Amino acid sequence: MSVPVHPLAEYVVVQAEAAQTKTAGGLYLPSGSAEKPKVAKVVAVGSAVKDVKVGDRVLYKNEYESTNVKVEGEDFVIVFYKNLVATIK
């Protein structure tokens, strides 16, 4: 997959996973109340990022310091690598 967004140095480009529409107990959530996901798939990494690679699933924090962009009809989130908390297997 060719990604139209190329991060600089210490940034990572991710695509957020879809928000949950159903609770663990089976209740459906209204679309407005769905929590924004903090889990995403890495689609591009800057040259200074060593701990994650394209294809990893990551947990990130602080949505106020991330940048949401829409390029060629796709949504991407650009995150500073220090805001990545963990990789998910």
Side-chain angles (χ1 to χ4, degrees):
M1 170 171 130
S2 176
V3 180
V5 181
H6 303 281
L8 300 177
E10 299 175 333
Y11 287 89
V12 177
V13 178
V14 299
Q15 283 189 309
E17 293 183 356
Q20 295 293 325
T21 59
K22 194 163 88 168
T23 65
L27 299 174
Y28 286 95
L29 299 170
S31 61
S33 69
E35 195 175 305
K36 289 187 177 183
K38 299 280 187 171
V39 176
K41 181 179 177 183
V42 176
V43 294
V45 295
S47 60
V49 178
K50 306 295 181 209
D51 297 330
V52 296
K53 62 186 181 307
V54 173
D56 285 350
R57 289 179 66 221
V58 295
L59 176 66
Y60 65 97
K61 67 175 183 171
N62 204 346
E63 67 188 42
Y64 301 109
E65 291 184 17
S66 60
T67 303
N68 296 308
V69 295
K70 186 172 213 156
V71 179
E72 296 178 4
E74 289 190 78
D75 292 319
F76 298 98
V77 181
I78 302 172
V79 181
F80 187 62
Y81 87 98
K82 288 186 179 180
N83 288 335
L84 298 178
V85 178
T87 57
I88 300 171
K89 302 236 181 218

